[in-house]
Amino acid sequence: MASSTGCEHYARSCLLKAPCCGKLYVCRLCHDAEENHQMDRFKVREVQCSKCQTLQQAQQICQECQEQFGEYYCDICHLFDKDKKQYHCHPCGICRIGPSEKYFHCEKCNLCLVKELQGNHKCVENVSRQNCPVCMEDIHTSRIGSHVLPCGHLLHKTCFDDMARTGAYRCPLCMHSAWNMKEHWDEIDKEIEQSPMPPEYQGATVKIICNDCQAHCIVPFHVLGMKCTACGSYNTAQDGGLIQLQEDADDGDDVEMEPEPEPQPQDQPESHVPQH
């Protein structure tokens, strides 16, 4: 709803004239929530002062009463808001919350990332030009910050926090572990050591694929988890049925037998870019 102080999304003292329908709204988000179409913020040409109601060309200060429409104004995005150290990133094509010196634009990812990740992240080409794999909302233009996973994929920071709270620890896209799981793998090691399998499963092995390093291994079967021999991860998937080793009564050779597949072991429990 229009007001002299803006809306729930932005603090501003003007209304945007929607280039699509000619109606006045505080922001594109308010417009999109009311209409059956979306406003193109880049095509906005006119604004109305909330103080004196003068309709005028989009600018930061009212031409009639000198009211400042926003502490921050971008004449490309037509973004008016209070000062949040915003900056316009030309490669991204939109404004982001700064300060700009804390971020760099990764050309391959085509996204602004915190400088701590410069040279320290896995690049995925145009990674932000997709929907969040959790909520399926757009990432690139979202006002919600994004979180970069070790595999290079992105999801909303709020979705990442929700995922972690539920015990999910895998990237929804590639199943790679979403953070350093070494301490948790060490705990599983201790639990397995203290929980031997029943005699009929002693010596049973299983083929696995590791979601973290993509190695294929044959490892001891245990209901609490199967550990990758290449990287030590328990983020693995069973690849085929249980292999039971039995000794042949005639010649003493070991014989592999594959009974019905055992139930899969249960999953084990598992930088931020604010945007406008």
Side-chain angles (χ1 to χ4, degrees), residues 169-171 174-179 181 184-185 188 208-215 225-228 231-238 267-268 270:
Y169 66 89
R170 296 185 178 112
C171 169
C174 69
M175 304 299 285
H176 193 282
S177 293
W179 58 81
M181 297 290 292
H184 187 65
W185 300 156
I188 297 179
I208 63 168
I209 301 174
C210 179
N211 290 318
D212 286 337
C213 73
Q214 286 71 58
M226 275 78 74
K227 183 174 185 175
C228 172
C231 71
S233 171
Y234 280 97
N235 180 9
T236 60
Q238 192 169 323
D267 291 341
Q268 303 299 321
E270 334 209 15

Side-chain angles (χ1 to χ4, degrees), residues 145-201:
S146 58
H147 184 88
V148 184
L149 299 178
C151 56
H153 291 125
L154 292 181
L155 62 162
H156 286 127
K157 181 66 167 61
T158 51
C159 292
F160 173 78
D161 292 341
D162 289 343
M163 186 180 81
R165 275 193 292 270
T166 64
Y169 66 89
R170 296 185 178 112
C171 169
L173 294 175
C174 69
M175 304 299 285
H176 193 282
S177 293
W179 58 81
N180 189 330
M181 297 290 292
K182 185 180 183 308
E183 289 187 6
H184 187 65
W185 300 156
D186 290 344
E187 288 299 317
I188 297 179
D189 282 341
K190 294 176 184 177
E191 292 176 11
I192 288 177
E193 186 178 352
Q194 297 168 5
S195 307
M197 292 292 289
E200 59 268 30
Y201 289 101

Side-chain angles (χ1 to χ4, degrees), residues 13 26 54 125 157 254:
S13 299
V26 178
T54 300
E125 192 166 1
K157 181 66 167 61
D254 286 340

Side-chain angles (χ1 to χ4, degrees), residues 127-140:
V127 67
S128 72
R129 295 336 196 249
Q130 62 184 5
N131 291 338
C132 172
V134 176
C135 68
M136 300 310 295
E137 297 292 333
D138 178 63
I139 290 180
H140 186 71

Side-chain angles (χ1 to χ4, degrees), residues 73-187:
Y73 172 59
C74 173
D75 61 1
I76 299 174
C77 297
H78 301 298
L79 171 65
F80 302 84
D81 200 7
K82 62 183 178 181
D83 185 8
K84 300 173 183 174
K85 307 299 182 185
Q86 299 95 325
Y87 67 99
H88 182 88
C89 174
H90 289 282
C92 283
I94 57 176
C95 290
R96 299 195 181 279
I97 297 175
S100 59
E101 56 268 20
K102 288 183 60 178
Y103 299 91
F104 76 102
H105 183 87
C106 176
E107 295 295 336
K108 185 172 182 179
C109 294
N110 202 4
L111 177 70
C112 286
L113 300 172
V114 291
K115 284 196 172 177
E116 286 81 359
L117 292 176
Q118 193 163 11
N120 189 33
H121 72 284
K122 182 177 180 180
C123 288
V124 177
E125 192 166 1
N126 288 325
V127 67
S128 72
R129 295 336 196 249
Q130 62 184 5
N131 291 338
C132 172
V134 176
C135 68
M136 300 310 295
E137 297 292 333
D138 178 63
I139 290 180
H140 186 71
T141 60
S142 175
R143 298 177 71 245
I144 302 172
S146 58
H147 184 88
V148 184
L149 299 178
C151 56
H153 291 125
L154 292 181
L155 62 162
H156 286 127
K157 181 66 167 61
T158 51
C159 292
F160 173 78
D161 292 341
D162 289 343
M163 186 180 81
R165 275 193 292 270
T166 64
Y169 66 89
R170 296 185 178 112
C171 169
L173 294 175
C174 69
M175 304 299 285
H176 193 282
S177 293
W179 58 81
N180 189 330
M181 297 290 292
K182 185 180 183 308
E183 289 187 6
H184 187 65
W185 300 156
D186 290 344
E187 288 299 317

Side-chain angles (χ1 to χ4, degrees), residues 193-251:
E193 186 178 352
Q194 297 168 5
S195 307
M197 292 292 289
E200 59 268 30
Y201 289 101
Q202 295 293 331
T205 58
V206 66
K207 296 177 182 178
I208 63 168
I209 301 174
C210 179
N211 290 318
D212 286 337
C213 73
Q214 286 71 58
H216 292 250
C217 317
I218 296 179
V219 300
F221 172 77
H222 200 287
V223 292
L224 295 180
M226 275 78 74
K227 183 174 185 175
C228 172
T229 56
C231 71
S233 171
Y234 280 97
N235 180 9
T236 60
Q238 192 169 323
D239 182 22
L242 196 65
I243 302 172
Q244 187 77 42
L245 294 180
Q246 293 185 346
E247 187 170 298
D248 188 281
D250 295 328
D251 55 21

